[in-house]
Amino acid sequence: MKKSLFGCLFALLLHVPAGASNSLWITNVKLVSPERLDMVEPGSVLIEDGRIVKVMRGARQRPPAGARRFDGKGYFLTPGLIDSHVHLQSVPGMSFEQMGEKAKLAQEYYKQLPRSFLYYGYTSVIDLAVFDVGFIDRLRRAPLRPDVFHCGSPLVLANGYPMSYFPPSQRFKVFPNFIYDPAQAAAIPAEYAPREHTSAVDAARAKASGAVCIKTFFEHGFGSQHSLPVMSREVYGEVRKAASANGMTLVTHANTLEGQGFAVNGNTDVLAHGMWRWDRLNNEQVLPAEIRAVLDQVIAKGVGYQPTIQVLYGLRAYVDPDWLGDPRIRKVVPASLAAWFHTPEGKWFRQEAAGGESDEDARRGLDVPLRHVRQVVSYLASKDAKILFGTDTPSAPTYGNLPGLNGYLEMQNLREAGMTPAQIFKAATISNARAFGLAAQLGSIEPGKTANLLLMRQSPLEDVRAYDTIVTLWVGGKQVEREQLAADHAR
């Protein structure tokens, strides 16, 4: 009798409706998706096994059989955001030496890091320069984290930017995918064979590490470095060819008129910074025709453009007396690290960021590059160019670029520069997904895509401050309340 009863129960379990345990029906929401911005309307979304399986539009919907119901209270449902320019292994405010010396602080930061991106809605991030793929793998094992994509180890011209900031004894180990330059043979350790450091071999290595993109650089330098070697058009052409051969997006660091013109003429896919240095035109007040010509090429060729305005504010944080008092900092970094920022040791980068100037002079010194990048963004936005959302978090060892919060501040920068809320929304969703070959998985609320979703009280098409009204997130279908992600949330 007992055996028969057990058999009946087992049979019943086998016939539970498919959606009973893994289906979620999010209903009573207003759908905001970038492919249908003209149709913000009531609807519902069905999720199964971490993916969107059905999108239903209309105020009245019959719940699917067996699905759990989530009432969205009439709030706005959007796809999760994508930050396409981050550096995950760097700890804001710390040098590489300090990261080793302050290992406990660094580990506490890393534990909070993925949650901080999620706190402001970034359910996907793209690391453009990986030092340790193992770190990316460990981050991906976090119980709650954004989807992580990367460009692998960047393709850097030997002894050029940014490997030039490391001692010669270390730089080739930190940047193993450097491009061999025969003209510098005497300055490259003999252990590195030229045939192992061509663009083709380097790109294949990046691809093998799981990269979806290639990052390279055109940078003569700044600060104390102004004459770093840069690649020739021929070498850059080889990088372009290698990226195409591997089906990878080519991202180029360039923030000057010369650098962006070089990269656009060489057919880059993405420019990783705004043009805040105008070279010989630096003193011009109105956007010069020569710069408009380069930007027109950006538009005509459909080059993705990451303004990264917050990079400049990350430097300015050291001469901003109010920055460390911002209560939002405690939402995205542990209390221990936030306290360390206030110490003399934690403010070590101030000297480099301010260049020995007074706070007032240092702030004034950033006014020109800020004006430049705003003018460039305004022009591109007026032409509806392909602007991509990326923050360069952290752009330097600065505590002014904090995960998640940096993105929220960048959205305000873009709005002030002339982008509409709709343009910003697209830049952080579908435009990023398309530019990095991820549109089949991410960027919109459509069947078949990963269930990365945000529920917010306000519409992001009306005000960028809506991104601070997130209530609930779904990350790969896993539901979490926003406040549970904050660094100061009691766990």
Side-chain angles (χ1 to χ4, degrees), residues 10-23:
F10 185 71
L12 285 172
L13 288 172
L14 288 177
H15 289 88
V16 171
S21 61
N22 61 11
S23 296

Side-chain angles (χ1 to χ4, degrees), residues 19-155:
S21 61
N22 61 11
S23 296
L24 176 67
W25 185 52
I26 304 171
T27 190
N28 188 22
V29 294
K30 296 182 183 72
L31 300 174
V32 186
S33 192
E35 86 288 359
R36 301 185 70 170
L37 288 183
D38 58 332
M39 296 186 69
V40 176
E41 57 186 343
S44 305
V45 174
L46 181 64
I47 298 172
E48 288 183 0
D49 298 322
R51 294 201 168 272
I52 298 169
V53 296
K54 193 171 184 180
V55 179
M56 298 161 275
R57 296 181 180 272
R60 295 185 178 181
Q61 299 288 343
R62 177 175 296 179
R68 292 179 293 115
R69 182 180 185 274
F70 179 92
D71 186 344
K73 299 180 180 179
Y75 294 159
F76 297 87
L77 189 71
T78 79
L81 307 176
I82 304 169
D83 187 339
S84 63
H85 191 158
V86 302
H87 301 289
L88 298 170
Q89 200 166 349
S90 299
V91 179
M94 283 192 177
S95 65
F96 282 101
E97 292 77 15
Q98 287 174 325
M99 287 166 57
E101 295 165 359
K102 306 290 182 183
K104 183 178 179 182
L105 282 181
Q107 289 304 317
E108 290 173 351
Y109 168 78
Y110 289 143
K111 184 177 180 180
Q112 173 60 32
L113 171 64
R115 307 175 76 89
S116 295
F117 278 111
L118 293 176
Y119 184 81
Y120 277 100
Y122 299 97
T123 58
S124 300
V125 295
I126 304 176
D127 192 319
L128 296 192
V130 174
F131 296 107
D132 176 10
V133 174
F135 176 86
I136 300 295
D137 292 338
R138 290 191 294 276
L139 191 61
R140 285 171 170 166
R141 291 197 291 270
L144 194 61
R145 44 78 183 168
D147 292 327
V148 180
F149 305 91
H150 65 85
C151 290
S153 180
L155 274 65

Side-chain angles (χ1 to χ4, degrees), residues 298-311:
V298 168
I299 296 163
K301 291 187 173 185
V303 175
Y305 201 94
Q306 297 177 337
T308 62
I309 303 173
Q310 194 59 23
V311 167

